[in-house]
Amino acid sequence: SVLPEELPMILTVFLSLGAWRIAHSNVLLRRPGVIEALGAATVLCTDKTGTLTQNRMTVARLCCGGVDHLVTGLPTPLPGDVERLLRAAKLASPTAPNDPMEQAIVALSAERGIVADGSGPCLREYPLSPTLLAVTRAYEQGSGHVLFCKGAPEALASLCALSADEHAALSKQVEALAQAGLRVLAVGQADVGAQLPDVPSAVRFSLLGLLAFLDPLRPEVPQAVADCRRAGVRVLMITGDYPATALAIAGQAGLDVTHGVLSGPEMAALSDESLRERVAHVSVFARMVPEQKLRLVKALKDLGAIAAMTGDGVNDAPALKAAHIGISMGKRGTDVAREASALVLADDNFASIVAAMRLGRRIFDNLRKAVAYTFAIHVPIAGLSLLSPLLGWPLILLPSHIAVLEMIIDPSCGLIFEGSAEEAHIMDRPPRPVGQSMVTGRVLLLSIVQGFLVLLGCVAAYYLAAQRGYPAERLRAMVFSTLVFSNLGLIVVSRSWTESALRTLWKGGAVLWTLILGTMGLGLLVLQVPFLQRLFSLSALPLSDALWALSLATLSVIWFEPVKLIWRRRLREMTVT
């Protein structure tokens, strides 16, 4: 009776049901223990495309010769330079692409009747690399070959060897498109001889123009970012986009853009100490390659942050593994990324991460309340078991009584507290300090005080019955009834540390009411059926004695209600610290 043997069961039930609840938010837990970390996360590093945005790319503008054409306003047939740009972009893309931007190019080409007849199959593809953010595809043309390239504007600018004036004009045009929140690709073409080059940089390309893509922000993202800000969680956006595009999207999402953007090349030039100084303030990271995510995670950890990191590629695996909470994409993520992560987003949606963090805080809060209740109720059980032989009382609690109490305690710990609603302030408080014990000094003190006062109520019931000269069976029935009523009251008042017991009872749900009514019904049977009276060594309890037991039980737990009003702020902190 002294040992709270329910603790292993509590942990098992909470983690299992917690994983089930979080799965309903489209987040799959690969390691249930990460539930605890969700409530302690201080920084959330997220990709932009497909996570903050809808990943539904459409070509919005085509820019040729310095002229900006809206796709919706293009005539039919297309102007020659526009058709040449779109045809080159299609030839620089796979026939059946998976990338959303390439899919948008192919879709627009099909809509406008752009075909690649006469080009033949692609002979060679030069993939994207950290040194050249562009993809090039080679085709046979007559006795020679032609290369079609699409990629970052700065990459095409280097391949085309633009003059200073041409480079300035291109940068100005790209900046204007990026500030509108559009993703920008440049397209180039180069004619080569019979021998294909080893690398695209060995050939001088001609710049054909720019394609600007629209990828709308998910409508639920701004609210999710605002929830993170209130909860004391920094949101960092990591993208391979142009810096101005990244800033525009970050501003729409509600991220802090006051400190500008840090690009991948700038990060590469920074020392570890300088990087930590920038990371402490900057929230937008652009032109990032997967390897730089790992360096970012290390910088955040050096600053003492608890970092969650999203990723989907094979090269993201080291960063996902290094982060406290690695989050991979379920739709577009690779198997390697999923294996390295602790969470998998089934819908690749940023809002689902925030929903999982909210649930993580709720689960940990309720777990702490369940453990506190378990400690509290074992104080009177242990106290009555020890006081009887120490003070020469008749034996109050028999093994059968403790078995009945455990039938109430176990479902309360495992189901009622687990199903308790979240506290109203759950996302208006800072993250829980990392490494903090589940049972802090204040939580343990609260449990002991609650249990001690319930014990006093039971002792008062004993003395009241003893003064009236009740026999041992009736005396035992009075004390046991007081303990059962106190147990039910303790459950009701402890389900929330900020809301009133009446409100908690009203929102209790079927499980709580089933437990209360089932306990009351079983109590009536035990106290009224002669066979059960003999089995539990109890006697019938008159209504007056039952009311005395209920009154003493109520007094032993009701004191927590005014404490909630007076110490509401401190009790809120106790759900964190």
Side-chain angles (χ1 to χ4, degrees):
S1 65
V2 175
L3 297 177
E5 72 280 358
E6 296 87 0
L7 293 182
M9 180 271 295
I10 293 173
L11 289 173
T12 302
V13 170
F14 268 73
L15 294 181
S16 301
L17 290 180
W20 175 77
R21 291 185 186 278
I22 292 177
H24 280 70
S25 297
N26 294 313
V27 179
L28 306 179
L29 272 70
R30 299 190 65 253
R31 292 189 288 273
V34 79
I35 291 175
E36 181 181 356
L38 283 171
T42 59
V43 178
L44 177 53
C45 306
T46 176
D47 294 327
K48 179 185 78 68
T49 304
T51 306
L52 295 178
T53 62
Q54 298 178 22
N55 203 24
R56 296 178 181 175
M57 296 284 185
T58 56
V59 182
R61 299 183 188 181
L62 297 169
C63 303
C64 303
V67 180
D68 187 352
H69 301 276
L70 287 173
V71 169
T72 54
L74 284 172
T76 302
L78 294 174
D81 56 348
V82 174
E83 182 176 352
R84 184 184 178 196
L85 168 64
L86 191 54
R87 183 175 183 273
K90 179 179 180 180
L91 288 171
S93 305
T95 305
N98 294 318
D99 182 80
M101 286 196 294
E102 293 176 337
Q103 290 174 345
I105 292 172
V106 171
L108 181 60
S109 300
E111 178 185 334
R112 291 292 181 166
I114 304 296
V115 295
D117 293 343
S119 299
C122 175
L123 300 178
R124 182 175 178 180
E125 178 173 303
Y126 302 87
L128 194 78
S129 69
T131 57
L132 185 65
L133 300 177
V135 175
T136 305
R137 293 168 66 86
Y139 296 85
E140 187 175 3
Q141 187 178 66
S143 59
H145 296 88
V146 60
L147 304 180
F148 297 98
C149 178
K150 71 177 191 314
E154 59 268 30
L156 267 293
S158 66
L159 291 176
C160 296
L162 299 180
S163 66
D165 291 341
E166 290 172 334
H167 195 285
L170 176 66
S171 298
K172 183 177 179 180
Q173 194 170 31
V174 170
E175 190 75 19
L177 293 170
Q179 287 178 354
L182 300 174
R183 296 190 69 179
V184 184
L185 282 183
V187 180
Q189 177 179 334
D191 296 322
V192 296
Q195 184 68 33
L196 287 174
D198 293 330
V199 291
S201 56
V203 180
R204 182 169 180 175
F205 283 76
S206 298
L207 183 64
L208 300 182
L210 303 173
L211 283 78
F213 300 82
L214 176 64
D215 186 11
L217 196 72
R218 292 181 184 267
E220 62 272 19
V221 163
Q223 182 59 52
V225 172
D227 290 343
C228 286
R229 184 180 297 110
R230 291 200 326 271
V233 180
R234 286 182 65 200
V235 179
L236 309 185
M237 188 181 80
I238 305 170
T239 180
D241 281 355
Y242 192 74
T245 304
L247 275 177
I249 297 297
Q252 295 174 22
L255 271 69
D256 180 11
V257 296
T258 56
H259 295 280
V261 59
L262 180 63
S263 68
E266 290 174 337
M267 177 184 287
L270 293 175
S271 65
D272 291 343
E273 183 178 355
S274 299
L275 178 60
R276 287 193 293 269
E277 293 176 0
R278 294 293 303 276
V279 168
H281 304 286
V282 176
S283 298
V284 184
F285 300 83
R287 285 291 187 252
M288 296 280 284
V289 295
E291 292 78 6
Q292 291 172 330
K293 283 187 174 184
L294 177 59
R295 194 176 176 206
L296 177 59
V297 169
K298 290 180 178 178
L300 290 169
K301 293 172 78 172
D302 289 342
L303 291 171
I306 304 301
M309 171 68 75
T310 66
D312 54 10
V314 173
N315 292 336
D316 289 332
L320 295 175
K321 198 73 175 177
H324 296 94
I325 308 171
I327 306 171
S328 62
M329 303 297 117
K331 289 185 176 179
R332 65 181 191 271
T334 61
D335 290 340
V336 175
R338 284 193 285 268
E339 285 296 323
S341 64
L343 302 178
V344 178
L345 285 185
D347 58 356
D348 297 2
N349 191 343
F350 174 80
S352 298
I353 304 175
V354 181
M357 292 177 64
R358 178 187 291 270
L359 279 171
R361 291 189 174 195
R362 168 191 165 180
I363 292 165
F364 190 85
D365 278 1
N366 290 342
L367 181 59
R368 176 169 282 176
K369 293 172 190 173
V371 172
Y373 157 76
T374 302
F375 282 135
I377 194 58
H378 278 81
V379 171
I381 294 175
L384 291 174
S385 300
L386 293 173
L387 288 177
S388 294
L390 290 177
L391 300 181
W393 296 352
L395 196 60
I396 301 296
L397 290 183
L398 302 176
S400 57
H401 302 155
I402 296 177
V404 169
L405 287 171
E406 293 296 334
M407 292 173 61
I408 304 172
I409 295 171
D410 288 355
S412 301
C413 298
L415 296 177
I416 292 178
F417 280 95
E418 194 282 331
S420 298
E422 65 187 42
E423 300 282 3
H425 62 278
I426 197 165
M427 293 298 282
D428 297 324
R429 69 192 193 203
R432 188 182 71 256
V434 65
Q436 182 189 83
S437 172
M438 183 186 301
V439 182
T440 61
R442 284 192 284 181
V443 172
L444 184 59
L445 178 62
L446 173 65
S447 301
I448 293 173
V449 171
Q450 286 183 315
F452 182 72
L453 290 177
V454 169
L455 176 60
L456 285 182
C458 294
V459 171
Y462 172 84
Y463 277 109
L464 180 64
Q467 287 180 352
R468 297 182 176 183
Y470 289 168
E473 288 77 10
R474 187 170 173 181
L475 186 149
R476 189 179 293 118
M478 182 110 174
V479 177
F480 184 65
S481 298
T482 304
L483 182 56
V484 171
F485 284 136
S486 299
N487 188 16
L488 294 176
L490 196 59
I491 294 170
V492 173
V493 301
S494 299
R495 289 187 78 220
S496 174
W497 288 354
T498 57
E499 291 187 343
S500 68
L502 289 177
R503 186 177 179 84
T504 303
L505 191 61
W506 178 256
K507 300 189 303 182
V511 178
L512 177 62
W513 281 105
T514 299
L515 178 75
I516 293 174
L517 296 178
T519 302
M520 300 295 288
L522 179 61
L524 285 174
L525 289 176
V526 169
L527 295 177
Q528 298 300 325
V529 176
F531 168 74
L532 294 177
Q533 289 177 2
R534 292 192 299 272
L535 180 64
F536 287 94
S537 299
L538 301 174
S539 67
L541 202 64
L543 179 60
S544 59
D545 287 347
L547 291 176
W548 270 109
L550 178 61
S551 300
L552 290 171
T554 303
L555 289 175
S556 68
V557 298
I558 200 63
W559 62 271
F560 193 44
E561 291 303 296
V563 168
K564 290 181 184 179
L565 296 175
I566 299 171
W567 284 2
R568 179 166 293 181
R569 183 174 180 180
R570 293 186 182 181
L571 289 170
R572 284 182 178 182
E573 293 175 355
M574 287 174 66
T575 59
V576 188
T577 59

